[in-house]
Structure formats: C-alpha cells, structure tokens
Amino acid sequence: MKRSDASAAAAFLAPDALGLLLFIALPALLALMVGFFEVDGFGNVEWAGLENFRLMAGDGLLWKSFGITLGYAALFVPLAFFAGLGLALLVSEHFPGVAVVRAALFLPNAVSLVVIGLLWQFLLTDKTGAVAKLTGLDEVSWLGDPTLALLTLVLISVWFLMGYQMLIFLGGLQDIPREYYDAATVDGGGPWQRFRHVTWPMLRPTSFFVLVTSLINAVTGLQAFDLVYVLTSGGPANSTTTVVYYAYQQAFLFGRFGYASAICALLVVALGAITGALFALTRGGRFDA
C-alpha cells in the first residue's frame, strides 16, 4: 500500500477508532478497575482487591441468574435465527407489495424496547389483556407464572429482533449469484436441493454473523435488560433475572457498584470465551479448511 493510501485509510478510520476508544474501550477498562474497589455511589471508595470476585463464588442468586441467561440464550438464539432465515426466504422473491411486507416485518425493531415492553405488558395483562381475550386462556398468567415468564420474554424478543435478522439474511441471499440456482435447476434440483446445496453453503458467513450477534444480544443486549425491567422486574421469584439485570440490581438498588462491575467483568470474559470458541470451531463462519 502506498503511503498516501495508508494516510487516507488512517484518516477515514480515525473517527471510528477514537469513538471506540473513548466510548467503548476506556469505559470498559474503568468498569473493570471498579471491580477491585468497594464503591457505594456516594463518594465512598475503598480498595477491595479480589474480594468482589471471591464473593461471587458463594452468591447463589448470581449463579441462578447465569442459569437463567443460559436458558434464555439457548431458546432465543435458534428461534431468532430460524425465524429470520425463514422470513428472508419468504420475502427474497419479488411480488406485489414485497417492500411493504419487509418494512412491516422490520418495524418492531425500529421502536424503542421500552415502548415494546409497555405494549406487550398491556396485551398480556391477566384476564383482561388482548391475548387472554383472543385465546380464551383467561387463567394463564404469561408474566406472573414462573414457568411461563421466561418463555414469554423469549418469544417477545424473537418477535422484536426477527425483522432485523431477516434483513441480514436477505442481504446474504441477494449476494448469491443467480447462476448457481440456474445450474442446480438444470441438474434437476428441486427447492430443497437448491436450498441444501446452494443457499445454505453460501449463507454460512451470514449465518455465523447472525449467530454471534444473536448470542451477544441474548446475553448483554438491550432485550436482556430493557424487557426484563419493564415486563417483570426480574420476577416472578427471580425466574427472569438475567445476569445484566442482576448486576443492575446490585449497583443501583443495593449500592454495590464494585460488586456489579466484577459481575460484568466475569460476564464479558465468559462471552468472549464463547465467541472465541465459535470463531475457532467455524473459522469465522467459513466451516472449511
């Protein structure tokens, strides 16, 4: 690369790099440092060393929140993945009104999650909510039953995010050369054969991106906090208390900012390890040698 080209590239990258440094890297480093102190939010700061990290070992509610987050991710990631892929396949072909259908499917993702939460709270109100009246399930408490609350959050999260993932998959589908499908058709391949031998292999990088971003959204995304905060506040009986919501409780309800920072540090390390393992196993979504 010529020096002038390198200088131009550096100039274009500098604003983003500065933004990442100031608003991502530096706050993350400061949050990690806070984990080694006792901070109550009122100006009292004391060195705690590794005490906050030692406390986590005996915190049963913390490990329960990790289990809830794992269950949430195990349900949300595949459901959102296949919902987004299915919708992308449905709207990939041109038909009258396809642009309107795509916009309608993406619309929930353009609305604030707080508004989404309030809307579904109204729809899922016990006995009098629209869902109860339409389904006739008056005795079902979608947000008040510990066995249903987490599943309800997962389904709302999928409904919220599937339009965004549809667009990502749609971009991947439109990048597949049409000649591949024509060749498969000439060879006698039906819809399933074309999907299996053309669409799916060519979508692997896109699928990997959707998989990783879905995992991050499930663990640390807005729906892992905002929807929980608005709809259930972690209840009933802590059945929807995700790790990020538990860290919020420790910091802003109990004034244990140092402990909350230590929890977030552990969460970031765990998420980084899982993401790194996915990159290593799939070679960044290529799945080949």
Side-chain angles (χ1 to χ4, degrees), residues 182-195:
D182 295 337
T185 302
V186 170
D187 290 339
W192 169 246
Q193 286 75 21
R194 290 197 296 271
F195 174 80

Side-chain angles (χ1 to χ4, degrees), residues 112-114 117 221-232 244-245:
S112 167
L113 262 174
V114 174
L222 291 177
Q223 71 266 25
F225 175 80
D226 287 21
L227 285 179
V228 173
Y229 181 87
V230 174
L231 289 173
T232 65
V244 291
Y245 188 76

Side-chain angles (χ1 to χ4, degrees), residues 116 118-143 148 152 155-156 159 231:
I116 294 293
L118 292 173
L119 171 65
W120 278 103
Q121 188 179 57
F122 173 75
L123 294 175
L124 295 172
T125 302
D126 293 352
K127 298 184 183 298
T128 60
V131 173
K133 291 183 178 179
L134 290 174
T135 61
L137 301 175
D138 296 342
E139 303 303 321
V140 176
S141 180
W142 299 100
L143 298 174
L148 291 176
T152 302
L155 294 178
I156 295 174
W159 173 81
L231 289 173

Side-chain angles (χ1 to χ4, degrees), residues 147-255:
T147 61
L148 291 176
L150 184 63
L151 178 60
T152 302
L153 283 175
V154 169
L155 294 178
I156 295 174
S157 300
V158 171
W159 173 81
F160 169 76
L161 201 63
M162 64 183 183
Y164 168 78
Q165 296 192 346
M166 174 199 70
L167 289 185
I168 300 298
F169 276 121
L170 190 59
L173 288 171
Q174 292 177 343
D175 279 341
I176 300 176
R178 191 68 194 178
E179 291 80 4
Y180 293 168
Y181 291 107
D182 295 337
T185 302
V186 170
D187 290 339
W192 169 246
Q193 286 75 21
R194 290 197 296 271
F195 174 80
R196 179 182 177 186
H197 298 292
V198 178
T199 304
W200 183 246
M202 296 295 291
L203 274 181
R204 282 172 177 171
T206 305
S207 299
F208 178 75
F209 174 79
V210 171
L211 178 65
V212 171
T213 54
S214 295
L215 178 63
I216 295 173
N217 278 322
V219 176
T220 62
L222 291 177
Q223 71 266 25
F225 175 80
D226 287 21
L227 285 179
V228 173
Y229 181 87
V230 174
L231 289 173
T232 65
S233 298
N238 293 316
S239 61
T240 59
T241 301
T242 58
V243 177
V244 291
Y245 188 76
Y246 185 75
Y248 156 79
Q249 288 179 317
Q250 294 299 312
F252 296 99
L253 297 184
F254 306 127

